[in-house]
Amino acid sequence: MPAQPSPGHSDSHQTAARAEFRWALFVVGVIGLLLCIIAFTSLHWVLMPTQRVETVNPATLHLVGEFTEENLGSAVEPDGSVTVRIVGQQYTFMPPCILVPDKTPVRFRVTSADVIHGFIIADTNVNVMLEPGYISNFQATFRKPAMHVMPCHEFCGVGHAGMWARVKVIDKADFFRQAQNRRRLSCVQ
Ligand code: CUA
């Protein structure tokens, strides 16, 4: 005698089919949501202004351009703003003592001549990487006269632990007075 489906059989079959359908809808919904997120973030980035990446040839840093030795240190630009140019290389920063004014926005332009170095100024929020081939460009303002240490914080070779410099923040008026007599300032003795 053929097995008769029990009275509840077609019911449970329909329940299972409904559950499967609900889960399929849920999965389609999740996929749809993810596609929307991808579309939105792609559009968002496309509509952003292009990134400002400045490159420089690390092999000719010391020969041409803004990172030659006589251009390193702090400078007062024709418009009165302050720019500091620094080169990091195994295992020193040039110049090793950086002189900056207090209460003034200071533009830093820093690069590496060889490998990746870390650039951090203690007791401030300045913390960037120096990559050969690229210029790290940022602004910082120092509140009051102080001496900050500036250790390399990216392992860059056997001399890494000895790679550090100092940042000397001095009174604004004093800084601009010194800048009248010299094209580039530093606190290297
Ligand atoms: Cu330079 Cu570590």
Side-chain angles (χ1 to χ4, degrees), residues 49-83:
T50 48
Q51 284 188 337
R52 220 170 60 112
V53 175
E54 285 184 86
T55 57
V56 66
N57 182 353
T60 57
L61 277 187
H62 57 299
L63 299 175
V64 289
E66 64 174 293
F67 292 103
T68 53
E69 193 172 351
E70 73 271 17
N71 281 333
L72 299 180
S74 314
V76 177
E77 305 290 350
D79 65 0
S81 65
V82 178
T83 307

PDB file of all heavy atoms in Angstrom, residues 49-83:
ATOM      1  N   PRO A  49      38.009  66.286  -4.012  1.00  0.00           N
ATOM      2  CA  PRO A  49      39.138  66.867  -4.743  1.00  0.00           C
ATOM      3  C   PRO A  49      40.289  65.852  -4.807  1.00  0.00           C
ATOM      4  O   PRO A  49      40.427  65.021  -3.916  1.00  0.00           O
ATOM      5  CB  PRO A  49      39.524  68.096  -3.923  1.00  0.00           C
ATOM      6  CG  PRO A  49      38.784  67.996  -2.652  1.00  0.00           C
ATOM      7  CD  PRO A  49      37.673  67.018  -2.806  1.00  0.00           C
ATOM      8  N   THR A  50      41.112  65.933  -5.845  1.00  0.00           N
ATOM      9  CA  THR A  50      42.204  64.968  -5.979  1.00  0.00           C
ATOM     10  C   THR A  50      43.208  65.157  -4.845  1.00  0.00           C
ATOM     11  O   THR A  50      43.396  66.260  -4.352  1.00  0.00           O
ATOM     12  CB  THR A  50      42.936  65.162  -7.316  1.00  0.00           C
ATOM     13  OG1 THR A  50      43.204  66.547  -7.464  1.00  0.00           O
ATOM     14  CG2 THR A  50      42.097  64.667  -8.476  1.00  0.00           C
ATOM     15  N   GLN A  51      43.855  64.056  -4.465  1.00  0.00           N
ATOM     16  CA  GLN A  51      44.852  64.129  -3.411  1.00  0.00           C
ATOM     17  C   GLN A  51      46.051  64.919  -3.908  1.00  0.00           C
ATOM     18  O   GLN A  51      46.381  64.875  -5.081  1.00  0.00           O
ATOM     19  CB  GLN A  51      45.314  62.730  -3.044  1.00  0.00           C
ATOM     20  CG  GLN A  51      44.308  61.995  -2.204  1.00  0.00           C
ATOM     21  CD  GLN A  51      44.885  60.707  -1.707  1.00  0.00           C
ATOM     22  OE1 GLN A  51      45.818  60.183  -2.291  1.00  0.00           O
ATOM     23  NE2 GLN A  51      44.346  60.182  -0.645  1.00  0.00           N
ATOM     24  N   ARG A  52      46.668  65.644  -2.947  1.00  0.00           N
ATOM     25  CA  ARG A  52      47.833  66.422  -3.337  1.00  0.00           C
ATOM     26  C   ARG A  52      49.082  65.633  -2.966  1.00  0.00           C
ATOM     27  O   ARG A  52      49.525  65.644  -1.831  1.00  0.00           O
ATOM     28  CB  ARG A  52      47.822  67.759  -2.617  1.00  0.00           C
ATOM     29  CG  ARG A  52      48.261  68.915  -3.508  1.00  0.00           C
ATOM     30  CD  ARG A  52      47.987  70.191  -2.808  1.00  0.00           C
ATOM     31  NE  ARG A  52      48.748  70.192  -1.557  1.00  0.00           N
ATOM     32  CZ  ARG A  52      49.757  71.007  -1.336  1.00  0.00           C
ATOM     33  NH1 ARG A  52      50.146  71.867  -2.218  1.00  0.00           N
ATOM     34  NH2 ARG A  52      50.407  70.988  -0.192  1.00  0.00           N
ATOM     35  N   VAL A  53      49.634  64.916  -3.919  1.00  0.00           N
ATOM     36  CA  VAL A  53      50.843  64.137  -3.671  1.00  0.00           C
ATOM     37  C   VAL A  53      51.995  64.838  -4.368  1.00  0.00           C
ATOM     38  O   VAL A  53      51.941  65.099  -5.564  1.00  0.00           O
ATOM     39  CB  VAL A  53      50.690  62.699  -4.205  1.00  0.00           C
ATOM     40  CG1 VAL A  53      51.993  61.942  -4.054  1.00  0.00           C
ATOM     41  CG2 VAL A  53      49.570  61.993  -3.473  1.00  0.00           C
ATOM     42  N   GLU A  54      53.012  65.200  -3.586  1.00  0.00           N
ATOM     43  CA  GLU A  54      54.171  65.858  -4.181  1.00  0.00           C
ATOM     44  C   GLU A  54      55.330  64.881  -4.206  1.00  0.00           C
ATOM     45  O   GLU A  54      55.656  64.278  -3.193  1.00  0.00           O
ATOM     46  CB  GLU A  54      54.565  67.068  -3.340  1.00  0.00           C
ATOM     47  CG  GLU A  54      53.647  68.248  -3.508  1.00  0.00           C
ATOM     48  CD  GLU A  54      54.161  69.428  -2.709  1.00  0.00           C
ATOM     49  OE1 GLU A  54      54.994  70.186  -3.217  1.00  0.00           O
ATOM     50  OE2 GLU A  54      53.757  69.552  -1.546  1.00  0.00           O
ATOM     51  N   THR A  55      55.948  64.745  -5.346  1.00  0.00           N
ATOM     52  CA  THR A  55      57.062  63.815  -5.454  1.00  0.00           C
ATOM     53  C   THR A  55      58.369  64.574  -5.648  1.00  0.00           C
ATOM     54  O   THR A  55      58.373  65.746  -6.033  1.00  0.00           O
ATOM     55  CB  THR A  55      56.859  62.850  -6.637  1.00  0.00           C
ATOM     56  OG1 THR A  55      56.704  63.625  -7.814  1.00  0.00           O
ATOM     57  CG2 THR A  55      55.624  61.982  -6.435  1.00  0.00           C
ATOM     58  N   VAL A  56      59.461  63.891  -5.345  1.00  0.00           N
ATOM     59  CA  VAL A  56      60.789  64.486  -5.476  1.00  0.00           C
ATOM     60  C   VAL A  56      61.747  63.319  -5.728  1.00  0.00           C
ATOM     61  O   VAL A  56      61.510  62.207  -5.254  1.00  0.00           O
ATOM     62  CB  VAL A  56      61.135  65.285  -4.191  1.00  0.00           C
ATOM     63  CG1 VAL A  56      61.275  64.386  -2.978  1.00  0.00           C
ATOM     64  CG2 VAL A  56      62.378  66.127  -4.362  1.00  0.00           C
ATOM     65  N   ASN A  57      62.782  63.570  -6.491  1.00  0.00           N
ATOM     66  CA  ASN A  57      63.740  62.496  -6.781  1.00  0.00           C
ATOM     67  C   ASN A  57      64.757  62.387  -5.639  1.00  0.00           C
ATOM     68  O   ASN A  57      65.564  63.298  -5.442  1.00  0.00           O
ATOM     69  CB  ASN A  57      64.454  62.803  -8.111  1.00  0.00           C
ATOM     70  CG  ASN A  57      65.427  61.696  -8.490  1.00  0.00           C
ATOM     71  OD1 ASN A  57      65.671  60.770  -7.719  1.00  0.00           O
ATOM     72  ND2 ASN A  57      65.980  61.799  -9.682  1.00  0.00           N
ATOM     73  N   PRO A  58      64.734  61.301  -4.864  1.00  0.00           N
ATOM     74  CA  PRO A  58      65.643  61.211  -3.707  1.00  0.00           C
ATOM     75  C   PRO A  58      67.112  61.139  -4.112  1.00  0.00           C
ATOM     76  O   PRO A  58      67.995  61.458  -3.311  1.00  0.00           O
ATOM     77  CB  PRO A  58      65.197  59.921  -2.997  1.00  0.00           C
ATOM     78  CG  PRO A  58      64.422  59.145  -4.002  1.00  0.00           C
ATOM     79  CD  PRO A  58      63.873  60.114  -5.002  1.00  0.00           C
ATOM     80  N   ALA A  59      67.391  60.752  -5.351  1.00  0.00           N
ATOM     81  CA  ALA A  59      68.789  60.602  -5.774  1.00  0.00           C
ATOM     82  C   ALA A  59      69.454  61.954  -6.027  1.00  0.00           C
ATOM     83  O   ALA A  59      70.678  62.070  -5.977  1.00  0.00           O
ATOM     84  CB  ALA A  59      68.859  59.736  -7.025  1.00  0.00           C
ATOM     85  N   THR A  60      68.651  63.005  -6.290  1.00  0.00           N
ATOM     86  CA  THR A  60      69.259  64.304  -6.609  1.00  0.00           C
ATOM     87  C   THR A  60      68.877  65.392  -5.599  1.00  0.00           C
ATOM     88  O   THR A  60      69.031  66.580  -5.874  1.00  0.00           O
ATOM     89  CB  THR A  60      68.830  64.758  -8.025  1.00  0.00           C
ATOM     90  OG1 THR A  60      67.390  64.795  -8.067  1.00  0.00           O
ATOM     91  CG2 THR A  60      69.323  63.811  -9.093  1.00  0.00           C
ATOM     92  N   LEU A  61      68.377  64.946  -4.415  1.00  0.00           N
ATOM     93  CA  LEU A  61      67.950  65.899  -3.380  1.00  0.00           C
ATOM     94  C   LEU A  61      69.013  66.939  -3.071  1.00  0.00           C
ATOM     95  O   LEU A  61      68.710  68.123  -2.907  1.00  0.00           O
ATOM     96  CB  LEU A  61      67.675  65.146  -2.065  1.00  0.00           C
ATOM     97  CG  LEU A  61      66.335  64.463  -1.837  1.00  0.00           C
ATOM     98  CD1 LEU A  61      66.295  63.976  -0.418  1.00  0.00           C
ATOM     99  CD2 LEU A  61      65.204  65.412  -2.141  1.00  0.00           C
ATOM    100  N   HIS A  62      70.284  66.462  -2.935  1.00  0.00           N
ATOM    101  CA  HIS A  62      71.368  67.337  -2.497  1.00  0.00           C
ATOM    102  C   HIS A  62      71.919  68.197  -3.642  1.00  0.00           C
ATOM    103  O   HIS A  62      72.749  69.050  -3.413  1.00  0.00           O
ATOM    104  CB  HIS A  62      72.483  66.483  -1.882  1.00  0.00           C
ATOM    105  CG  HIS A  62      72.997  65.438  -2.824  1.00  0.00           C
ATOM    106  ND1 HIS A  62      72.190  64.451  -3.336  1.00  0.00           N
ATOM    107  CD2 HIS A  62      74.226  65.241  -3.355  1.00  0.00           C
ATOM    108  CE1 HIS A  62      72.910  63.683  -4.142  1.00  0.00           C
ATOM    109  NE2 HIS A  62      74.144  64.136  -4.176  1.00  0.00           N
ATOM    110  N   LEU A  63      71.450  67.948  -4.857  1.00  0.00           N
ATOM    111  CA  LEU A  63      72.016  68.653  -6.012  1.00  0.00           C
ATOM    112  C   LEU A  63      71.115  69.771  -6.533  1.00  0.00           C
ATOM    113  O   LEU A  63      71.587  70.859  -6.859  1.00  0.00           O
ATOM    114  CB  LEU A  63      72.258  67.654  -7.162  1.00  0.00           C
ATOM    115  CG  LEU A  63      73.233  66.514  -6.855  1.00  0.00           C
ATOM    116  CD1 LEU A  63      73.282  65.534  -8.013  1.00  0.00           C
ATOM    117  CD2 LEU A  63      74.624  67.087  -6.585  1.00  0.00           C
ATOM    118  N   VAL A  64      69.821  69.473  -6.633  1.00  0.00           N
ATOM    119  CA  VAL A  64      68.905  70.469  -7.203  1.00  0.00           C
ATOM    120  C   VAL A  64      67.631  70.560  -6.365  1.00  0.00           C
ATOM    121  O   VAL A  64      67.277  69.618  -5.654  1.00  0.00           O
ATOM    122  CB  VAL A  64      68.486  70.107  -8.658  1.00  0.00           C
ATOM    123  CG1 VAL A  64      69.627  70.294  -9.619  1.00  0.00           C
ATOM    124  CG2 VAL A  64      67.929  68.700  -8.734  1.00  0.00           C
ATOM    125  N   GLY A  65      66.957  71.714  -6.484  1.00  0.00           N
ATOM    126  CA  GLY A  65      65.640  71.853  -5.889  1.00  0.00           C
ATOM    127  C   GLY A  65      65.672  72.396  -4.473  1.00  0.00           C
ATOM    128  O   GLY A  65      66.696  72.867  -3.987  1.00  0.00           O
ATOM    129  N   GLU A  66      64.514  72.312  -3.811  1.00  0.00           N
ATOM    130  CA  GLU A  66      64.362  72.996  -2.531  1.00  0.00           C
ATOM    131  C   GLU A  66      65.073  72.296  -1.375  1.00  0.00           C
ATOM    132  O   GLU A  66      65.170  72.872  -0.301  1.00  0.00           O
ATOM    133  CB  GLU A  66      62.864  73.141  -2.205  1.00  0.00           C
ATOM    134  CG  GLU A  66      62.143  71.822  -2.000  1.00  0.00           C
ATOM    135  CD  GLU A  66      60.711  72.034  -1.546  1.00  0.00           C
ATOM    136  OE1 GLU A  66      60.505  72.530  -0.418  1.00  0.00           O
ATOM    137  OE2 GLU A  66      59.805  71.708  -2.314  1.00  0.00           O
ATOM    138  N   PHE A  67      65.552  71.060  -1.553  1.00  0.00           N
ATOM    139  CA  PHE A  67      66.164  70.338  -0.432  1.00  0.00           C
ATOM    140  C   PHE A  67      67.691  70.307  -0.501  1.00  0.00           C
ATOM    141  O   PHE A  67      68.325  69.470   0.121  1.00  0.00           O
ATOM    142  CB  PHE A  67      65.592  68.917  -0.346  1.00  0.00           C
ATOM    143  CG  PHE A  67      64.148  68.898   0.064  1.00  0.00           C
ATOM    144  CD1 PHE A  67      63.144  68.691  -0.873  1.00  0.00           C
ATOM    145  CD2 PHE A  67      63.774  69.128   1.386  1.00  0.00           C
ATOM    146  CE1 PHE A  67      61.807  68.706  -0.505  1.00  0.00           C
ATOM    147  CE2 PHE A  67      62.439  69.145   1.771  1.00  0.00           C
ATOM    148  CZ  PHE A  67      61.455  68.933   0.824  1.00  0.00           C
ATOM    149  N   THR A  68      68.295  71.218  -1.288  1.00  0.00           N
ATOM    150  CA  THR A  68      69.756  71.306  -1.257  1.00  0.00           C
ATOM    151  C   THR A  68      70.156  71.867   0.110  1.00  0.00           C
ATOM    152  O   THR A  68      69.344  72.503   0.791  1.00  0.00           O
ATOM    153  CB  THR A  68      70.283  72.232  -2.372  1.00  0.00           C
ATOM    154  OG1 THR A  68      69.606  73.476  -2.267  1.00  0.00           O
ATOM    155  CG2 THR A  68      70.029  71.615  -3.750  1.00  0.00           C
ATOM    156  N   GLU A  69      71.421  71.642   0.509  1.00  0.00           N
ATOM    157  CA  GLU A  69      71.826  71.947   1.881  1.00  0.00           C
ATOM    158  C   GLU A  69      71.544  73.401   2.279  1.00  0.00           C
ATOM    159  O   GLU A  69      71.086  73.664   3.393  1.00  0.00           O
ATOM    160  CB  GLU A  69      73.309  71.614   2.075  1.00  0.00           C
ATOM    161  CG  GLU A  69      73.683  71.613   3.551  1.00  0.00           C
ATOM    162  CD  GLU A  69      75.082  71.100   3.802  1.00  0.00           C
ATOM    163  OE1 GLU A  69      75.704  70.581   2.845  1.00  0.00           O
ATOM    164  OE2 GLU A  69      75.540  71.226   4.952  1.00  0.00           O
ATOM    165  N   GLU A  70      71.787  74.344   1.361  1.00  0.00           N
ATOM    166  CA  GLU A  70      71.603  75.753   1.754  1.00  0.00           C
ATOM    167  C   GLU A  70      70.137  76.132   1.912  1.00  0.00           C
ATOM    168  O   GLU A  70      69.813  77.196   2.415  1.00  0.00           O
ATOM    169  CB  GLU A  70      72.323  76.696   0.774  1.00  0.00           C
ATOM    170  CG  GLU A  70      71.675  76.840  -0.585  1.00  0.00           C
ATOM    171  CD  GLU A  70      72.166  75.815  -1.601  1.00  0.00           C
ATOM    172  OE1 GLU A  70      72.765  74.788  -1.171  1.00  0.00           O
ATOM    173  OE2 GLU A  70      71.959  76.032  -2.801  1.00  0.00           O
ATOM    174  N   ASN A  71      69.232  75.250   1.479  1.00  0.00           N
ATOM    175  CA  ASN A  71      67.798  75.528   1.630  1.00  0.00           C
ATOM    176  C   ASN A  71      67.193  74.885   2.875  1.00  0.00           C
ATOM    177  O   ASN A  71      66.019  75.089   3.165  1.00  0.00           O
ATOM    178  CB  ASN A  71      67.031  75.026   0.407  1.00  0.00           C
ATOM    179  CG  ASN A  71      67.152  75.983  -0.763  1.00  0.00           C
ATOM    180  OD1 ASN A  71      67.344  77.182  -0.566  1.00  0.00           O
ATOM    181  ND2 ASN A  71      67.069  75.457  -1.969  1.00  0.00           N
ATOM    182  N   LEU A  72      67.979  74.070   3.595  1.00  0.00           N
ATOM    183  CA  LEU A  72      67.416  73.367   4.760  1.00  0.00           C
ATOM    184  C   LEU A  72      67.378  74.282   5.972  1.00  0.00           C
ATOM    185  O   LEU A  72      68.204  75.176   6.120  1.00  0.00           O
ATOM    186  CB  LEU A  72      68.236  72.103   5.053  1.00  0.00           C
ATOM    187  CG  LEU A  72      68.265  71.082   3.916  1.00  0.00           C
ATOM    188  CD1 LEU A  72      69.099  69.864   4.308  1.00  0.00           C
ATOM    189  CD2 LEU A  72      66.853  70.653   3.517  1.00  0.00           C
ATOM    190  N   GLY A  73      66.409  74.066   6.835  1.00  0.00           N
ATOM    191  CA  GLY A  73      66.236  74.905   8.009  1.00  0.00           C
ATOM    192  C   GLY A  73      64.975  75.737   7.867  1.00  0.00           C
ATOM    193  O   GLY A  73      64.132  75.470   7.006  1.00  0.00           O
ATOM    194  N   SER A  74      64.857  76.761   8.734  1.00  0.00           N
ATOM    195  CA  SER A  74      63.643  77.579   8.762  1.00  0.00           C
ATOM    196  C   SER A  74      63.836  78.839   7.925  1.00  0.00           C
ATOM    197  O   SER A  74      64.877  79.472   7.992  1.00  0.00           O
ATOM    198  CB  SER A  74      63.317  77.980  10.201  1.00  0.00           C
ATOM    199  OG  SER A  74      63.432  76.854  11.040  1.00  0.00           O
ATOM    200  N   ALA A  75      62.813  79.183   7.169  1.00  0.00           N
ATOM    201  CA  ALA A  75      62.898  80.365   6.312  1.00  0.00           C
ATOM    202  C   ALA A  75      61.628  81.180   6.438  1.00  0.00           C
ATOM    203  O   ALA A  75      60.537  80.625   6.587  1.00  0.00           O
ATOM    204  CB  ALA A  75      63.085  79.949   4.864  1.00  0.00           C
ATOM    205  N   VAL A  76      61.776  82.506   6.387  1.00  0.00           N
ATOM    206  CA  VAL A  76      60.607  83.371   6.302  1.00  0.00           C
ATOM    207  C   VAL A  76      60.385  83.658   4.827  1.00  0.00           C
ATOM    208  O   VAL A  76      61.263  84.163   4.144  1.00  0.00           O
ATOM    209  CB  VAL A  76      60.819  84.673   7.105  1.00  0.00           C
ATOM    210  CG1 VAL A  76      59.615  85.585   6.945  1.00  0.00           C
ATOM    211  CG2 VAL A  76      61.047  84.355   8.575  1.00  0.00           C
ATOM    212  N   GLU A  77      59.229  83.267   4.337  1.00  0.00           N
ATOM    213  CA  GLU A  77      58.925  83.425   2.915  1.00  0.00           C
ATOM    214  C   GLU A  77      58.577  84.886   2.616  1.00  0.00           C
ATOM    215  O   GLU A  77      58.281  85.652   3.539  1.00  0.00           O
ATOM    216  CB  GLU A  77      57.734  82.532   2.534  1.00  0.00           C
ATOM    217  CG  GLU A  77      57.917  81.060   2.873  1.00  0.00           C
ATOM    218  CD  GLU A  77      58.961  80.366   2.007  1.00  0.00           C
ATOM    219  OE1 GLU A  77      59.422  80.956   1.007  1.00  0.00           O
ATOM    220  OE2 GLU A  77      59.329  79.235   2.340  1.00  0.00           O
ATOM    221  N   PRO A  78      58.595  85.277   1.336  1.00  0.00           N
ATOM    222  CA  PRO A  78      58.266  86.672   0.987  1.00  0.00           C
ATOM    223  C   PRO A  78      56.912  87.121   1.531  1.00  0.00           C
ATOM    224  O   PRO A  78      56.727  88.294   1.869  1.00  0.00           O
ATOM    225  CB  PRO A  78      58.253  86.642  -0.546  1.00  0.00           C
ATOM    226  CG  PRO A  78      59.165  85.514  -0.916  1.00  0.00           C
ATOM    227  CD  PRO A  78      59.027  84.496   0.169  1.00  0.00           C
ATOM    228  N   ASP A  79      55.952  86.203   1.672  1.00  0.00           N
ATOM    229  CA  ASP A  79      54.637  86.600   2.187  1.00  0.00           C
ATOM    230  C   ASP A  79      54.581  86.619   3.717  1.00  0.00           C
ATOM    231  O   ASP A  79      53.512  86.810   4.303  1.00  0.00           O
ATOM    232  CB  ASP A  79      53.539  85.675   1.627  1.00  0.00           C
ATOM    233  CG  ASP A  79      53.676  84.231   2.112  1.00  0.00           C
ATOM    234  OD1 ASP A  79      54.627  83.943   2.881  1.00  0.00           O
ATOM    235  OD2 ASP A  79      52.833  83.404   1.743  1.00  0.00           O
ATOM    236  N   GLY A  80      55.749  86.395   4.386  1.00  0.00           N
ATOM    237  CA  GLY A  80      55.796  86.474   5.845  1.00  0.00           C
ATOM    238  C   GLY A  80      55.529  85.153   6.546  1.00  0.00           C
ATOM    239  O   GLY A  80      55.647  85.070   7.771  1.00  0.00           O
ATOM    240  N   SER A  81      55.157  84.099   5.811  1.00  0.00           N
ATOM    241  CA  SER A  81      54.911  82.799   6.441  1.00  0.00           C
ATOM    242  C   SER A  81      56.243  82.089   6.689  1.00  0.00           C
ATOM    243  O   SER A  81      57.269  82.448   6.110  1.00  0.00           O
ATOM    244  CB  SER A  81      54.010  81.950   5.549  1.00  0.00           C
ATOM    245  OG  SER A  81      54.679  81.655   4.346  1.00  0.00           O
ATOM    246  N   VAL A  82      56.199  81.089   7.576  1.00  0.00           N
ATOM    247  CA  VAL A  82      57.430  80.381   7.942  1.00  0.00           C
ATOM    248  C   VAL A  82      57.397  78.956   7.384  1.00  0.00           C
ATOM    249  O   VAL A  82      56.409  78.243   7.547  1.00  0.00           O
ATOM    250  CB  VAL A  82      57.596  80.337   9.478  1.00  0.00           C
ATOM    251  CG1 VAL A  82      58.846  79.562   9.872  1.00  0.00           C
ATOM    252  CG2 VAL A  82      57.641  81.743  10.053  1.00  0.00           C
ATOM    253  N   THR A  83      58.467  78.572   6.684  1.00  0.00           N
ATOM    254  CA  THR A  83      58.584  77.216   6.135  1.00  0.00           C
ATOM    255  C   THR A  83      59.853  76.575   6.675  1.00  0.00           C
ATOM    256  O   THR A  83      60.902  77.223   6.724  1.00  0.00           O
ATOM    257  CB  THR A  83      58.653  77.242   4.591  1.00  0.00           C
ATOM    258  OG1 THR A  83      57.545  77.977   4.094  1.00  0.00           O
ATOM    259  CG2 THR A  83      58.614  75.827   4.014  1.00  0.00           C
TER     260      THR A  83
END
